[in-house]
Amino acid sequence: MAAEEECPNRGALAPMYCDANNDLVADTPSDPSKLLDPDTLVFAYTPVEDPAIYADIWEPFIEHLSEETGKDVRFFAVQSNSAEIEAMRSNRIHIAGFSTGPTPFAVNLAGAVPFAIMGSEDGNFGYTLQVYTRKDSGIDELKDLEGKRVAHTSPTSNSGNQAPRALFPKEGIVPGEDYEVVYSGSHDQSMLGVVAGDYDAAPVASEVVDRMADRGLYDPEEVKIVFESKRFPTTSYTYAHNLKPELAEKIKDAFMSFDFQGTALGEEFTGVTQFVPISYKEDWEVIRDIQEANGITYTRENIE
């Protein structure tokens, strides 16, 4: 039977996946021989400036995940969004945190199944797009970016590129036309570049720059915010679609039962108290709309 006949509903998913229940994520394979039950689970977190720091921060959770699943669990540091997505597609990582913009790419190209997000006790979650500039830059609103050099993070980043391209024209400024776009590689580098004067301004994720300020990586007194968006979902936590269902349930239970209080993870992500369940179809709708407005298609060539 042809693949299309076997899978009448695929949506934007890559050809190796199917979506029979129309939840926009890859179905668990029906063939038991295609299910994974590895002795060692590999967990990756979205690319950051210093992966070694985050390996230590995630250590209490890694231990908890190991206890709950009965598996050895290893933290794997990734260098880029494309590398993280490829690693899940090729079964080299089994659990991963994907940042907001790359999440739809991970879903459609790597069979990632988003199920959790960091949130508060009342179940709230999210972050905003903020545009930072130096206080002495002479930039007071988005229209003042005309003719300036502005740091975006990477093509797939939501707050660092896609949301600005979708939202800024409504504010009277078109990225890439009214100002020069320079890709910095990360929110950290964008912010540090603004502080150093390498860039005139930068759209960044509020949660990232808040953590940078907490670590003393820049002086908040030297910068100002000239634009802030409505709230977006943060990093999605996912498992590979082809994990054995019993294992996937243990992974989800481990996330939901983790206590942030008194851990390095709780100290790093201030205001967060627990993982809360999410629906990719519903909670990422605004992100998919932004990407559609930008003409984004979910191909490997468009990841970076």
Side-chain angles (χ1 to χ4, degrees):
M1 186 178 292
E4 291 297 330
E5 294 176 318
E6 294 174 352
C7 182
N9 183 42
R10 183 171 285 114
L13 295 172
M16 69 278 292
Y17 309 125
C18 193
D19 179 23
N21 61 0
N22 196 34
D23 62 358
L24 304 188
V25 301
D27 297 336
T28 304
S30 57
D31 182 350
S33 68
K34 295 182 178 180
L35 296 175
L36 299 180
D37 189 15
D39 293 330
T40 299
L41 291 173
V42 183
F43 171 79
Y45 180 60
T46 183
V48 290
E49 187 74 11
D50 191 344
I53 291 177
Y54 277 83
D56 293 337
I57 288 171
W58 279 99
E59 185 57 33
F61 175 77
I62 296 295
E63 293 178 1
H64 176 74
L65 183 60
S66 179
E67 291 173 0
E68 294 297 309
T69 60
K71 304 277 188 180
D72 290 330
V73 182
R74 182 166 63 88
F75 182 88
F76 179 67
V78 293
Q79 302 302 317
S80 68
N81 293 317
S82 59
E84 185 178 22
I85 291 169
E86 174 57 26
M88 179 164 280
R89 189 197 66 81
S90 59
N91 298 324
R92 288 183 285 115
I93 61 174
H94 312 105
I95 310 161
F98 290 101
S99 57
T100 306
T103 289
F105 285 86
V107 167
N108 289 291
L109 298 178
V113 180
F115 66 92
I117 197 169
M118 288 182 180
S120 59
E121 290 181 6
D122 57 8
N124 289 330
F125 57 82
Y127 71 101
T128 62
L129 151 63
Q130 297 173 331
V131 177
Y132 275 87
T133 184
R134 288 184 61 89
K135 282 188 176 178
D136 58 4
S137 68
I139 298 170
D140 297 312
E141 58 181 338
L142 284 186
K143 289 182 179 180
D144 295 335
L145 296 180
E146 186 171 358
K148 303 297 186 181
R149 178 180 166 89
V150 180
H152 286 207
T153 58
S154 65
T156 57
S157 173
N158 178 61
S159 56
N161 184 59
Q162 293 173 8
R165 291 185 183 276
L167 301 178
F168 287 5
K170 300 175 184 177
E171 304 294 328
I173 195 83
V174 180
E177 294 182 16
D178 295 328
Y179 66 73
E180 178 187 0
V181 171
V182 182
Y183 288 115
S184 69
S186 72
H187 295 274
D188 306 59
Q189 292 173 10
S190 288
M191 195 65 189
L192 294 176
V194 167
V195 173
D198 297 332
Y199 312 119
D200 295 304
V204 289
S206 60
E207 59 169 2
V208 177
V209 294
D210 287 347
R211 291 198 298 272
M212 291 177 67
D214 290 341
R215 295 202 300 271
L217 296 180
Y218 74 93
D219 183 357
E221 292 301 315
E222 295 183 359
V223 297
K224 62 182 178 181
I225 298 171
V226 296
F227 175 83
E228 187 166 18
S229 74
K230 295 180 180 179
R231 299 189 76 81
F232 304 123
T234 56
T235 296
S236 68
Y237 293 90
T238 72
Y239 60 82
H241 81 292
N242 54 347
L243 291 183
K244 199 172 180 180
E246 296 86 348
L247 176 56
E249 286 302 315
K250 289 181 180 179
I251 291 169
K252 289 193 287 186
D253 289 344
F255 273 80
M256 299 308 166
S257 63
F258 181 71
D259 184 0
F260 279 73
Q261 187 172 1
T263 68
L265 201 60
E267 293 174 3
E268 175 68 10
F269 295 93
T270 55
V272 167
T273 59
Q274 61 188 25
F275 287 102
V276 297
I278 55 168
S279 160
Y280 170 72
K281 184 174 184 178
E282 295 176 5
D283 295 319
W284 253 257
E285 183 178 13
V286 62
I287 305 304
R288 295 193 301 272
D289 287 347
I290 288 172
Q291 292 176 340
E292 182 179 0
N294 283 308
I296 298 295
T297 55
Y298 303 121
T299 65
R300 296 172 70 178
E301 293 75 20
N302 286 339
I303 296 174
E304 298 286 6

